[in-house]
Coordinates of all heavy atoms in Angstrom, one line a residue:
M1 N 110.8 28.5 67.3 CA 111.1 29.9 67.8 C 112.0 30.6 66.8 O 113.1 30.2 66.5 CB 111.8 29.8 69.2 CG 112.2 31.1 69.7 SD 113.1 31.0 71.2 CE 113.8 32.6 71.4
S2 N 111.4 31.7 66.3 CA 112.2 32.4 65.3 C 112.9 33.6 66.0 O 112.4 34.3 66.8 CB 111.2 33.0 64.2 OG 110.2 33.8 64.9
A3 N 114.2 33.7 65.6 CA 115.0 34.7 66.2 C 114.7 36.1 65.6 O 114.8 36.2 64.4 CB 116.5 34.4 66.1
S4 N 114.3 37.0 66.4 CA 114.0 38.4 65.9 C 115.3 39.3 66.2 O 116.0 39.1 67.1 CB 112.8 38.9 66.5 OG 113.0 39.1 67.9
Y5 N 115.4 40.2 65.3 CA 116.6 41.1 65.4 C 116.0 42.6 65.5 O 114.9 42.8 65.0 CB 117.5 41.0 64.2 CG 118.3 39.7 64.2 CD1 117.7 38.6 63.7 CD2 119.6 39.7 64.7 CE1 118.5 37.4 63.7 CE2 120.3 38.6 64.7 CZ 119.8 37.4 64.2 OH 120.5 36.2 64.2
I6 N 116.8 43.4 66.1 CA 116.4 44.8 66.1 C 117.5 45.7 65.6 O 118.7 45.4 65.8 CB 116.0 45.3 67.6 CG1 115.4 46.6 67.6 CG2 117.2 45.2 68.5 CD1 114.6 46.9 68.8
C7 N 117.2 46.7 64.8 CA 118.2 47.6 64.2 C 118.4 48.8 65.1 O 117.4 49.5 65.4 CB 117.7 48.0 62.8 SG 118.8 49.2 62.1
A8 N 119.6 48.9 65.6 CA 119.9 50.1 66.5 C 119.8 51.4 65.7 O 119.8 52.4 66.4 CB 121.2 49.9 67.1
D9 N 119.9 51.4 64.4 CA 120.0 52.6 63.7 C 118.6 53.2 63.5 O 118.4 54.4 63.7 CB 120.6 52.3 62.3 CG 121.1 53.6 61.7 OD1 122.0 54.2 62.2 OD2 120.6 53.9 60.6
C10 N 117.6 52.4 63.1 CA 116.3 52.9 62.8 C 115.2 52.3 63.8 O 114.1 52.6 63.6 CB 115.9 52.7 61.4 SG 115.7 50.9 60.9
D11 N 115.7 51.5 64.8 CA 114.8 51.0 65.8 C 113.7 50.1 65.3 O 112.6 50.0 65.8 CB 114.2 52.1 66.6 CG 114.1 51.7 68.1 OD1 114.9 50.9 68.5 OD2 113.3 52.3 68.8
H12 N 114.1 49.4 64.2 CA 113.1 48.5 63.5 C 113.3 47.1 63.9 O 114.4 46.6 63.7 CB 113.2 48.7 62.0 CG 112.2 47.9 61.2 ND1 110.9 47.9 61.4 CD2 112.5 46.9 60.3 CE1 110.3 47.0 60.6 NE2 111.2 46.4 59.9
E13 N 112.3 46.4 64.5 CA 112.4 45.0 64.8 C 111.9 44.2 63.7 O 110.8 44.4 63.2 CB 111.7 44.8 66.1 CG 112.0 43.4 66.7 CD 111.5 43.2 68.1 OE1 111.2 44.2 68.8 OE2 111.3 42.0 68.6
F14 N 112.6 43.1 63.4 CA 112.2 42.3 62.2 C 112.8 40.9 62.4 O 113.6 40.6 63.2 CB 112.8 42.9 60.9 CG 114.3 42.9 60.9 CD1 115.0 41.9 60.2 CD2 115.0 43.9 61.5 CE1 116.4 41.9 60.2 CE2 116.4 43.9 61.5 CZ 117.0 42.9 60.8
V15 N 112.2 39.9 61.7 CA 112.6 38.6 61.6 C 113.2 38.3 60.2 O 112.5 38.4 59.3 CB 111.5 37.6 61.9 CG1 112.0 36.1 61.8 CG2 110.9 37.8 63.3
P16 N 114.5 38.1 60.1 CA 115.1 37.9 58.8 C 114.5 36.7 58.1 O 114.3 35.6 58.7 CB 116.6 37.7 59.1 CG 116.7 37.3 60.5 CD 115.5 37.9 61.2
E17 N 114.3 36.8 56.8 CA 113.7 35.7 56.0 C 114.7 34.6 55.9 O 114.4 33.4 56.0 CB 113.3 36.2 54.7 CG 112.1 37.1 54.8 CD 111.6 37.6 53.4 OE1 112.1 37.0 52.4 OE2 110.8 38.5 53.3
E18 N 116.0 34.9 55.7 CA 117.1 33.9 55.6 C 117.9 34.0 56.9 O 118.3 35.0 57.3 CB 118.0 34.3 54.4 CG 117.3 34.1 53.1 CD 118.2 34.4 51.9 OE1 119.4 34.3 52.1 OE2 117.7 34.8 50.8
A19 N 118.0 32.8 57.5 CA 118.7 32.7 58.7 C 120.2 32.7 58.4 O 120.8 31.6 58.2 CB 118.3 31.4 59.5
G20 N 120.8 33.8 58.5 CA 122.3 33.9 58.2 C 123.0 34.5 59.4 O 122.4 34.9 60.4
D21 N 124.3 34.6 59.2 CA 125.1 35.2 60.3 C 125.0 36.7 60.3 O 125.3 37.4 61.3 CB 126.6 34.8 60.2 CG 126.7 33.3 60.4 OD1 125.9 32.7 61.1 OD2 127.7 32.7 59.9
D22 N 124.6 37.3 59.2 CA 124.7 38.7 59.0 C 123.3 39.2 58.5 O 123.2 39.6 57.3 CB 125.8 39.1 58.0 CG 126.3 40.5 58.3 OD1 126.0 41.0 59.3 OD2 127.0 41.0 57.4
P23 N 122.3 39.3 59.4 CA 121.0 39.7 58.9 C 121.0 41.2 58.6 O 121.7 42.0 59.2 CB 120.1 39.5 60.2 CG 121.0 39.4 61.3 CD 122.3 38.9 60.8
R24 N 120.2 41.5 57.6 CA 120.2 42.9 57.1 C 118.8 43.6 57.4 O 117.8 42.9 57.3 CB 120.3 42.9 55.5 CG 120.4 44.3 54.9 CD 120.7 44.1 53.4 NE 122.0 43.6 53.1 CZ 123.1 44.3 52.9 NH1 123.0 45.6 53.0 NH2 124.2 43.7 52.7
C25 N 118.9 44.8 57.9 CA 117.7 45.5 58.2 C 116.9 45.8 56.9 O 117.4 46.4 56.0 CB 118.0 46.8 58.9 SG 116.6 47.9 59.3
P26 N 115.6 45.4 56.9 CA 114.8 45.6 55.7 C 114.4 47.1 55.5 O 114.0 47.4 54.4 CB 113.5 44.7 55.9 CG 113.5 44.6 57.4 CD 114.9 44.7 57.9
R27 N 114.6 47.9 56.5 CA 114.1 49.3 56.3 C 115.3 50.2 55.8 O 115.1 51.0 54.9 CB 113.6 49.8 57.7 CG 113.1 51.2 57.6 CD 112.5 51.7 58.9 NE 111.2 51.1 59.2 CZ 110.5 51.3 60.3 NH1 111.0 52.1 61.2 NH2 109.4 50.7 60.5
C28 N 116.5 50.0 56.5 CA 117.6 50.9 56.1 C 118.7 50.1 55.5 O 119.8 50.7 55.2 CB 118.0 51.7 57.3 SG 118.8 50.7 58.7
S29 N 118.6 48.8 55.3 CA 119.6 48.0 54.6 C 120.9 48.0 55.3 O 121.9 47.8 54.6 CB 119.7 48.4 53.2 OG 118.5 48.3 52.5
R30 N 121.0 48.3 56.6 CA 122.3 48.2 57.3 C 122.4 46.8 57.9 O 121.5 46.1 58.2 CB 122.3 49.2 58.4 CG 122.5 50.6 57.9 CD 122.4 51.6 59.1 NE 122.4 53.0 58.7 CZ 123.6 53.7 58.5 NH1 124.7 53.1 58.8 NH2 123.5 54.9 58.1
T31 N 123.7 46.4 58.1 CA 123.9 45.1 58.7 C 124.7 45.4 60.0 O 124.6 44.5 61.0 CB 124.8 44.2 57.8 OG1 126.0 44.9 57.5 CG2 124.0 43.8 56.6
E32 N 125.4 46.4 60.1 CA 126.3 46.6 61.3 C 125.6 47.1 62.5 O 126.0 46.9 63.7 CB 127.4 47.7 61.0 CG 126.9 49.1 60.7 CD 126.6 49.3 59.3 OE1 126.5 48.3 58.5 OE2 126.4 50.5 58.9
A33 N 124.4 47.6 62.4 CA 123.6 48.1 63.6 C 122.6 47.1 64.0 O 121.9 47.3 65.0 CB 122.9 49.4 63.2
V34 N 122.5 45.9 63.4 CA 121.5 44.9 63.7 C 122.0 44.0 64.8 O 123.1 43.5 64.8 CB 121.2 44.1 62.5 CG1 120.3 42.9 62.8 CG2 120.5 44.9 61.4
E35 N 121.2 43.9 65.9 CA 121.5 43.1 67.0 C 120.3 42.2 67.3 O 119.2 42.5 67.1 CB 121.8 44.0 68.2 CG 122.9 44.9 68.1 CD 123.0 46.0 69.1 OE1 122.0 46.1 69.9 OE2 124.0 46.7 69.2
P36 N 120.6 41.0 67.9 CA 119.5 40.1 68.4 C 118.6 40.8 69.4 O 119.1 41.5 70.3 CB 120.2 38.9 69.0 CG 121.6 39.0 68.4 CD 121.9 40.4 68.2
A37 N 117.3 40.7 69.2 CA 116.4 41.4 70.0 C 116.1 40.7 71.3 O 115.6 41.3 72.3 CB 115.0 41.6 69.3
D38 N 116.5 39.4 71.4 CA 116.1 38.6 72.6 C 116.9 39.1 73.8 O 116.3 39.2 74.9 CB 116.5 37.2 72.4 CG 115.6 36.6 71.3 OD1 114.5 37.2 71.0 OD2 116.0 35.6 70.7
D39 N 118.1 39.5 73.7 CA 118.9 40.0 74.8 C 118.3 41.2 75.5 O 118.2 41.2 76.7 CB 120.4 40.2 74.4 CG 121.1 39.0 74.1 OD1 120.6 37.9 74.4 OD2 122.2 39.0 73.4
S40 N 118.0 42.2 74.7 CA 117.5 43.4 75.2 C 116.1 43.2 75.9 O 115.8 43.8 76.9 CB 117.4 44.5 74.2 OG 116.6 44.1 73.1
A41 N 115.3 42.3 75.3 CA 114.0 42.0 75.9 C 114.2 41.3 77.2 O 113.4 41.6 78.2 CB 113.2 41.1 74.9
L42 N 115.1 40.4 77.3 CA 115.4 39.7 78.6 C 115.9 40.7 79.6 O 115.4 40.7 80.8 CB 116.4 38.6 78.3 CG 116.7 37.7 79.5 CD1 115.4 36.8 79.6 CD2 117.9 36.8 79.2
Q43 N 116.7 41.6 79.3 CA 117.3 42.6 80.2 C 116.1 43.5 80.7 O 116.1 43.8 81.9 CB 118.4 43.5 79.6 CG 119.7 42.7 79.5 CD 120.7 43.5 78.7 OE1 120.5 44.6 78.3 NE2 121.9 42.8 78.5
S44 N 115.2 43.9 79.8 CA 114.2 44.8 80.3 C 113.2 44.0 81.2 O 112.6 44.6 82.1 CB 113.4 45.4 79.1 OG 112.8 44.3 78.4
D45 N 113.0 42.7 80.9 CA 112.2 41.9 81.8 C 112.8 41.8 83.2 O 112.1 42.0 84.2 CB 112.1 40.5 81.2 CG 110.9 40.4 80.2 OD1 110.2 41.4 80.0 OD2 110.8 39.3 79.6
I46 N 114.1 41.6 83.3 CA 114.8 41.6 84.6 C 114.6 42.9 85.3 O 114.3 43.0 86.5 CB 116.2 41.2 84.4 CG1 116.3 39.7 84.0 CG2 117.0 41.4 85.7 CD1 117.7 39.3 83.5
W47 N 114.8 44.0 84.6 CA 114.7 45.3 85.1 C 113.3 45.6 85.6 O 113.1 46.2 86.7 CB 115.1 46.3 84.1 CG 114.9 47.8 84.4 CD1 114.1 48.7 83.8 CD2 115.4 48.5 85.5 NE1 114.1 49.9 84.4 CE2 114.9 49.8 85.5 CE3 116.3 48.1 86.6 CZ2 115.3 50.8 86.5 CZ3 116.6 49.1 87.5 CH2 116.1 50.4 87.5
R48 N 112.3 45.1 84.9 CA 110.9 45.3 85.3 C 110.6 44.5 86.6 O 109.9 45.0 87.5 CB 110.0 44.8 84.2 CG 108.6 45.4 84.3 CD 107.8 45.1 83.0 NE 108.4 45.6 81.8 CZ 108.5 44.9 80.7 NH1 108.0 43.7 80.6 NH2 109.1 45.5 79.6
Q49 N 111.2 43.3 86.7 CA 111.0 42.5 87.9 C 111.6 43.2 89.1 O 111.0 43.2 90.2 CB 111.6 41.1 87.7 CG 110.8 40.2 86.8 CD 111.5 38.9 86.5 OE1 112.6 38.7 87.0 NE2 110.9 38.1 85.6
W50 N 112.8 43.8 89.0 CA 113.4 44.5 90.1 C 112.6 45.7 90.5 O 112.5 46.1 91.6 CB 114.9 44.9 89.7 CG 115.9 43.8 90.0 CD1 116.5 43.1 89.0 CD2 116.3 43.3 91.3 NE1 117.3 42.2 89.7 CE2 117.2 42.3 91.0 CE3 116.0 43.7 92.6 CZ2 117.8 41.6 92.1 CZ3 116.5 43.0 93.6 CH2 117.5 42.0 93.3
L51 N 112.0 46.4 89.4 CA 111.2 47.5 89.7 C 110.0 47.1 90.6 O 109.6 47.8 91.5 CB 110.7 48.1 88.4 CG 110.5 49.6 88.3 CD1 111.9 50.3 88.5 CD2 110.0 50.0 86.9
V52 N 109.4 45.9 90.3 CA 108.3 45.5 91.1 C 108.7 45.2 92.5 O 108.0 45.5 93.5 CB 107.7 44.2 90.4 CG1 106.7 43.5 91.4 CG2 107.0 44.5 89.1
V53 N 109.9 44.6 92.7 CA 110.4 44.3 94.0 C 110.6 45.5 94.8 O 110.2 45.6 96.0 CB 111.7 43.5 93.9 CG1 112.4 43.4 95.3 CG2 111.5 42.1 93.3
F54 N 111.3 46.5 94.2 CA 111.5 47.8 94.9 C 110.2 48.5 95.2 O 110.0 49.1 96.3 CB 112.4 48.7 94.0 CG 113.8 48.4 94.1 CD1 114.5 48.1 92.9 CD2 114.5 48.3 95.3 CE1 115.9 47.8 92.9 CE2 115.8 47.9 95.3 CZ 116.5 47.7 94.2
A55 N 109.2 48.4 94.3 CA 107.9 49.0 94.6 C 107.2 48.4 95.8 O 106.7 49.0 96.7 CB 107.0 48.9 93.4
L56 N 107.3 47.0 95.9 CA 106.7 46.3 97.0 C 107.4 46.7 98.3 O 106.7 46.9 99.3 CB 106.8 44.8 96.7 CG 105.8 44.3 95.7 CD1 106.1 42.8 95.4 CD2 104.4 44.4 96.1
L57 N 108.7 46.8 98.3 CA 109.5 47.1 99.5 C 109.1 48.5 99.9 O 109.0 48.8 101.1 CB 111.0 47.0 99.2 CG 111.6 45.6 99.2 CD1 113.0 45.7 98.7 CD2 111.5 45.0 100.5
F58 N 109.0 49.4 98.9 CA 108.6 50.8 99.2 C 107.2 50.9 99.9 O 107.0 51.6 100.9 CB 108.6 51.6 97.9 CG 108.4 53.1 98.1 CD1 109.4 53.9 98.7 CD2 107.2 53.7 97.6 CE1 109.2 55.2 98.8 CE2 107.0 55.0 97.7 CZ 108.0 55.8 98.4
I59 N 106.3 50.2 99.3 CA 104.9 50.1 99.8 C 104.9 49.5 101.2 O 104.2 50.0 102.2 CB 104.0 49.3 98.9 CG1 103.8 50.1 97.6 CG2 102.6 49.1 99.6 CD1 103.1 49.3 96.5
A60 N 105.7 48.4 101.4 CA 105.8 47.8 102.7 C 106.4 48.8 103.8 O 105.9 48.8 104.9 CB 106.6 46.5 102.6
G61 N 107.4 49.5 103.4 CA 108.0 50.5 104.2 C 107.0 51.6 104.7 O 106.9 52.0 105.8
I62 N 106.2 52.1 103.7 CA 105.2 53.1 104.0 C 104.2 52.5 104.9 O 103.8 53.2 105.9 CB 104.6 53.6 102.7 CG1 105.6 54.5 102.0 CG2 103.3 54.4 103.0 CD1 105.1 55.0 100.6
A63 N 103.7 51.3 104.7 CA 102.7 50.7 105.5 C 103.2 50.5 106.9 O 102.5 50.7 107.9 CB 102.3 49.3 104.9
Y64 N 104.5 50.1 107.0 CA 105.1 50.0 108.4 C 105.1 51.3 109.1 O 104.8 51.3 110.3 CB 106.6 49.4 108.2 CG 107.3 49.2 109.5 CD1 107.0 48.0 110.2 CD2 108.2 50.1 110.0 CE1 107.7 47.7 111.4 CE2 108.9 49.8 111.2 CZ 108.6 48.7 111.9 OH 109.2 48.4 113.1
V65 N 105.5 52.4 108.4 CA 105.6 53.7 109.1 C 104.2 54.2 109.5 O 104.0 54.7 110.6 CB 106.3 54.7 108.1 CG1 106.1 56.1 108.7 CG2 107.7 54.4 108.0
V66 N 103.2 53.9 108.6 CA 101.9 54.5 108.8 C 101.2 53.7 110.0 O 100.5 54.3 110.8 CB 101.0 54.4 107.5 CG1 99.5 54.6 107.8 CG2 101.6 55.4 106.5
F67 N 101.3 52.4 109.9 CA 100.5 51.6 110.9 C 101.2 51.2 112.2 O 100.6 50.7 113.1 CB 100.0 50.2 110.2 CG 99.1 50.5 109.0 CD1 99.5 50.3 107.7 CD2 97.8 50.9 109.3 CE1 98.6 50.5 106.7 CE2 96.9 51.2 108.3 CZ 97.3 50.9 107.0
E68 N 102.5 51.6 112.3 CA 103.2 51.3 113.5 C 102.8 52.3 114.6 O 102.8 53.4 114.4 CB 104.7 51.4 113.2 CG 105.6 50.9 114.4 CD 105.4 49.4 114.7 OE1 104.8 48.7 113.8 OE2 105.8 48.9 115.7
Ligands
LIG101 ZN1 117.5 49.8 60.2

């Protein structure tokens, strides 16, 4: 599993060729704006799951009101 990073400055996602503590963005050559991409991907996955749960509850509520 290769760790991918995302640059917050130019929004460029990349996998650094050298696994170091301070990966550099290949597009804008910044190091301070580069963050691991795995965390944000995980958070968006959790957010998407909650969105599905709320959508199902919403549909169930409408079905209850309509068919009751
Ligand atoms: Zn960049």
Side-chain angles (χ1 to χ4, degrees):
M1 177 183 165
S2 58
S4 64
Y5 288 82
I6 191 160
C7 174
D9 198 62
C10 65
D11 216 27
H12 178 60
E13 189 170 342
F14 63 97
V15 177
E17 294 181 8
E18 294 181 22
D21 292 336
D22 206 15
R24 184 178 293 270
C25 176
R27 185 177 286 176
C28 65
S29 298
R30 287 178 186 268
T31 57
E32 66 270 14
V34 173
E35 297 168 352
D38 294 339
D39 288 346
S40 57
L42 190 70
Q43 283 173 5
S44 66
D45 274 356
I46 292 170
W47 172 239
R48 201 172 300 139
Q49 285 172 3
W50 275 110
L51 214 63
V52 170
V53 169
F54 281 126
L56 288 173
L57 284 173
F58 186 70
I59 290 168
I62 288 175
Y64 182 80
V65 169
V66 168
F67 294 112
E68 188 65 14

